[in-house]
Amino acid sequence: DIGVDVARFGDDESVIAAVIDKNKQMPSEIYHHNDTMQLTGRLTQKIERCFNLVREIHVKIDCDGLGVGVYDRFREVVYKRRWRNVFVYEGHFGGRGGKVKQGDPIEFENSTGLMWGTIREQLRTGNIELWNDQEQTAQLANRKYRLNSDGEIVMERKEDMKKRGVRSPDRADALVLAVWDPPSGKIVTRPFV
């Protein structure tokens, strides 16, 4: 599974995070000042390196904002190269929330919380081995949350993090996308047939 957080130009980072079997993170690829086509090229190179190592590759791209350009172009690459085992998903950090698993007492207001709740559960149960990256660890630990009046967890917005002097959690977001399972029936791009 591969998660892609897209930043383009500016202070934020574009990150490609890969997780094997949802429990072992590979070293993330971190880029600064790449346009969407360059980042798509980096993602294409990553897939080519992994192509024969696994049966299926699930790529989840943050499509809120600039990432939609990477998503659209990468879909074309998958089609043109006839990659039958590559599945591409839109990731949206503002979508519908819910529970990480059935019967869980914790509910999240939106998909940001739901995705972050997934990595929280993996870490809590010791079911994931993270790449040793102090910045990623800090990003996972620095994001605050609150409860709304319905008792749902609401994750701190990136804008609010920056106001308190904390960097955008780009590395953590890419990891969160990698471990996230889109709701069934949400495969947006099927492999070439």
Side-chain angles (χ1 to χ4, degrees), residues 50-136:
C50 298
F51 199 75
N52 292 320
L53 302 176
V54 293
R55 208 174 69 234
E56 290 183 357
I57 301 171
H58 297 264
V59 180
K60 300 150 220 175
I61 301 170
D62 175 11
C63 285
D64 297 325
L66 297 170
V68 75
V70 173
Y71 172 82
D72 288 342
R73 177 62 185 125
F74 188 67
R75 282 179 34 218
E76 277 187 338
V77 170
V78 169
Y79 182 79
K80 285 171 77 174
R81 293 182 184 224
R82 299 176 184 232
W83 285 342
R84 289 179 172 85
N85 66 335
V86 178
F87 298 83
V88 186
Y89 304 82
E90 286 186 32
H92 293 283
F93 282 104
R96 199 166 143 223
K99 296 180 179 189
V100 171
K101 59 185 178 192
Q102 193 80 0
D104 195 342
I106 299 171
E107 190 153 353
F108 296 92
E109 178 189 57
N110 60 30
S111 59
T112 302
L114 192 56
M115 290 184 210
W116 276 69
T118 301
I119 192 67
R120 176 191 144 275
E121 185 64 15
Q122 291 282 83
L123 291 167
R124 187 186 71 75
T125 58
N127 288 330
I128 190 165
E129 180 183 332
L130 298 181
W131 168 51
N132 186 13
D133 174 22
Q134 291 180 346
E135 180 63 28
Q136 177 181 268

Side-chain angles (χ1 to χ4, degrees), residues 131-154:
W131 168 51
N132 186 13
D133 174 22
Q134 291 180 346
E135 180 63 28
Q136 177 181 268
T137 301
Q139 289 177 12
L140 287 167
N142 283 335
R143 195 165 199 173
K144 294 182 178 185
Y145 68 91
R146 65 178 175 80
L147 292 178
N148 66 17
S149 60
D150 290 325
E152 299 167 324
I153 291 178
V154 180

